[in-house]
Amino acid sequence: MRKDALHNRERLLEAARRLFADRGLEVPLEEIAREAGVSIGTLYNRFPARQALVEAVFADRVRAVAELAERAMVMDDAWEAFAAFLTGVCELQSADLGYNDLVARAAPLEGDRGFALMGELLERARREGGLRADVELSDLAFVLWGVAATIRATRATAPGVWRRHLALALDGLRSAGAHALPAPALTVGEVRAAMGEC
């Protein structure tokens, strides 16, 4: 890539990061191009579809989630590791409205390192007895969706209240006091369908 083309790409990514973080993923692409000081044609030359721009902007968040999971994997207490990982993901969501929107709209990719480690954290917490035995990986989508909605709804009035929402959800995931669930867990395909991906 030529130096000027690389420079334009970086300007577009920086503009998109700022606007997505502040306003969410629905920011018009024209506005991102204007903020970056380039034409909409330049944006489309670098990122032919919105999804390509979103993936480029949030590649660092995908890595950050994997790093959170790796740190949690070495914690001694399996429940604390599981809870620390979920809290870390939700902290990333609360700091960036665009990432929050992304978490609420897209199921993790099965080949993603963070997704794989999330499954291992869940399995370890379940095996060691802190996490209720009937919790499946797809159930975590409900936790993240719920926190995402709380973050979006309360960011101006009570920006930290998502922590209360998460604490309530985590208490519901604990094995102590668990009752039989009235319906089976969603499959990965059903999670994607619920998010409008199918």
Side-chain angles (χ1 to χ4, degrees), residues 3-156:
K3 189 174 181 179
D4 61 333
L6 187 58
H7 179 66
N8 285 342
R9 184 180 192 280
E10 289 307 312
R11 287 169 59 186
L12 284 162
L13 288 173
E14 278 306 310
R17 276 188 195 102
R18 282 192 307 273
L19 291 169
F20 286 160
D22 187 48
R23 295 179 25 212
L25 291 181
E26 294 306 315
V27 175
L29 295 179
E30 293 79 6
E31 193 170 337
I32 292 169
R34 192 168 43 251
E35 177 81 7
V38 301
S39 71
I40 190 66
T42 298
L43 185 148
Y44 281 117
N45 283 338
R46 305 296 171 265
F47 304 100
R50 179 182 287 271
Q51 186 60 30
L53 177 62
V54 167
E55 287 174 9
V57 166
F58 294 108
D60 63 331
R61 297 293 190 198
V62 171
R63 285 190 300 274
V65 169
E67 289 166 8
L68 284 170
E70 288 165 357
R71 283 196 299 274
M73 289 295 291
V74 298
M75 293 174 67
D76 291 333
D77 184 279
W79 171 259
E80 291 301 322
F82 175 76
F85 171 73
L86 283 181
T87 300
V89 172
C90 293
E91 286 171 345
L92 290 173
Q93 289 176 238
S94 71
D96 185 327
L97 197 54
Y99 183 67
N100 187 61
D101 287 352
L102 185 64
V103 168
R105 295 177 188 181
L109 300 174
E110 290 188 59
D112 180 275
R113 174 115 175 100
F115 180 80
L117 291 175
M118 181 169 48
E120 290 181 35
L121 288 165
L122 181 142
E123 180 55 40
R124 181 178 160 219
R126 200 168 42 193
R127 187 174 56 249
E128 292 186 15
L131 181 67
R132 51 187 300 156
D134 53 359
V135 172
E136 298 294 335
L137 192 55
S138 62
D139 291 318
L140 299 187
F142 294 109
V143 175
L144 297 176
W145 293 345
V147 171
T150 299
I151 288 168
R152 186 164 265 290
T154 62
R155 64 190 291 255

